[in-house]
Amino acid sequence: MSEFTPPGYMRVGDVVMSIIRHLRPDCTEQQLSELLGEEAHRVFDEALDLLHSLLFEGAIAGFYNQPVFNGLTEIPKAFWLSVDAGKALRDGEYWPFGPNRHHWDRLPTAPIFYKAEALRAVLAQRQRALSPPHSRARLSNAGAKAKFDWPAYEEAYMAEVRTRGFPSELNVKGWQSQADVVRYLQELAQQDGLDLPDSTAKPYARRFLERAALDDN
């Protein structure tokens, strides 16, 4: 099968690496390349799960080539809910000949292409949503330490998740929602002698919830 990729498009390997860089913004290229064993599989599966979600939600689309008909053709969104979606994602190939899968070994599959610009736009939008707004009160003067120790708060929150489970309606009262996480962060801030407003805590609570959910997958 030809390895040619049309200009402006990407194949699954490059797409997954782009998503991994998005999910692991603090990792250098060398650190990413040195991932081994279970950690490498976990990071890869995490990126593939996000790609699957974006495709099913219609945030981005996959395309395959129909040379006899219309050239590059969008894969139907409903396909990403089918039992064949996982194999197509991992292999980077689409079966355009219908549900008769017992013929797969005798008929060719088509490589899946993704629009590079569409992927960049979606990841940039997600990054903006995950990044809390700058707080004017966060720094007391130029070069000063951040007022709230967010890395320590996130580490404490993740430890709490490992102990109490993920905040959800199925959990105990007081550990069921983003509002409960906001209150938890405010308690941590109070231990530091700080007053943490709801408006400052909410974006961080949302980001911590999303990261914990990704780690759980």
Side-chain angles (χ1 to χ4, degrees), residues 12 54 85 90 107 120 138 140 166 206:
V12 67
L54 294 174
R90 290 182 177 277
L107 291 174
R120 281 193 292 268
R138 189 179 296 175
S140 58
F166 189 79
R206 182 174 64 250

Side-chain angles (χ1 to χ4, degrees), residues 96-109:
F97 301 105
N100 298 316
R101 294 190 298 276
H102 59 281
H103 292 305
W104 276 22
D105 292 337
R106 285 181 280 170
L107 291 174
T109 53

Side-chain angles (χ1 to χ4, degrees), residues 25 51 65 67 78 99 104 134 146 175 197 203 215:
L51 173 59
N65 189 29
W104 276 22
H134 295 293
W175 197 244
D215 287 345

Side-chain angles (χ1 to χ4, degrees), residues 122-191:
V122 167
L123 295 183
Q125 183 180 27
R126 281 179 52 85
Q127 190 61 47
R128 287 193 297 271
L130 291 173
S131 299
H134 295 293
S135 171
R136 289 188 295 271
R138 189 179 296 175
L139 298 179
S140 58
N141 52 59
K145 184 180 178 180
K147 181 177 179 181
F148 301 108
D149 193 350
W150 295 115
Y153 293 174
E154 181 174 13
E155 184 176 346
Y157 165 74
M158 291 299 190
E160 198 73 13
V161 168
R162 288 191 289 272
T163 301
R164 301 172 63 181
F166 189 79
S168 74
E169 294 180 355
L170 300 178
N171 214 317
V172 297
K173 186 176 180 180
W175 197 244
Q176 298 179 331
S177 66
Q178 178 176 305
D180 293 325
V181 178
V182 167
R183 284 190 288 271
Y184 175 73
L185 296 178
Q186 290 172 331
E187 290 173 3
L188 294 177
Q190 287 174 0
Q191 293 172 15

